[in-house]
Structures are given as C-alpha cells and as structure tokens.
Amino acid sequence: MCGGGDLRHAVLVNHATRRRKPMADTVLYEVSDGLATITLNRPEAMNALNVATKVALRDAAETAASDPAVRAVLLTAAGDRAFCVGQDLKEHVGCSWRTRSPARATP
C-alpha cells in the first residue's frame, strides 16, 4: 500500500510529571525544565520523513502544545550527516506515475 509505514513503538516520557505515552521510535520526545525536545531519529536515512515519522512528529507537537508545563520546543535531529533531507521517497516507490495505467502515464 502506498504511504504505509511501520509504526513501531517507543515510550514518550514527560520528566516533569512522569507521564508516558506510546510514540513511534522515529521521533523522540522529552520534557525537562519547561523545554520539550523533539528529536527526529532516523539518522540512517538522514532523518527523511516517512509516514511513521510524520505521524510521530505531529503527535509530539500536539503533546507539547497541550502540555501547560512546556514553555518552549526545540526541534533537533539525530546523527551528524543531515538535519532532515525531506520526504522519504523510498516509501513511495510503488506510487510513481510509471505504475499507473498507460492511458494516464503521461508525465
């Protein structure tokens, strides 16, 4: 299926309140002293955004926005090669225009 993703789970921990929430391991979330740190965690793919990462990033942002203990958000990324290269195109290989019917295959 185009756009599908592996939604493996890790644990989100708010250190101020010790609340836990399931979250994909492609995004890490931590709160300390009013600062929510959201970390893109796909260094092997230069933090490319696949479906699981985009869902987890949205969830982390919503969690930070709804937490009254959070006063600021830091968005960072794991690895030393790139912050984020954008959309993970490997996930959409089967969705290219070449896989459409010949009548609709004009670029």
Side-chain angles (χ1 to χ4, degrees), residues 6-68:
D6 178 18
L7 296 178
R8 298 168 288 178
H9 287 82
V11 175
L12 173 147
V13 179
N14 182 326
H15 293 285
T17 61
R18 295 290 184 201
R19 290 179 296 180
R20 294 175 180 262
K21 176 181 176 181
M23 181 171 287
D25 62 356
T26 58
V27 172
L28 306 177
Y29 181 90
E30 180 180 351
V31 175
S32 180
D33 297 325
L35 175 66
T37 302
I38 300 173
T39 305
L40 299 176
N41 191 34
R42 295 189 68 216
E44 72 286 351
M46 293 191 287
N47 298 306
L49 299 172
N50 61 10
V51 171
T53 304
K54 290 186 281 188
V55 169
L57 183 57
R58 182 197 62 213
D59 290 348
E62 288 175 352
T63 298
S66 66
D67 187 344

Side-chain angles (χ1 to χ4, degrees), residues 47-103:
N47 298 306
L49 299 172
N50 61 10
V51 171
T53 304
K54 290 186 281 188
V55 169
L57 183 57
R58 182 197 62 213
D59 290 348
E62 288 175 352
T63 298
S66 66
D67 187 344
V70 173
R71 297 186 314 270
V73 176
L74 171 65
L75 179 60
T76 187
D80 57 5
R81 293 178 56 205
F83 169 72
C84 177
V85 295
Q87 175 66 40
D88 188 346
L89 299 178
K90 290 179 183 178
E91 188 173 65
H92 299 283
V93 169
C95 298
S96 75
W97 65 270
R98 290 182 187 106
T99 62
R100 295 182 190 153
S101 66

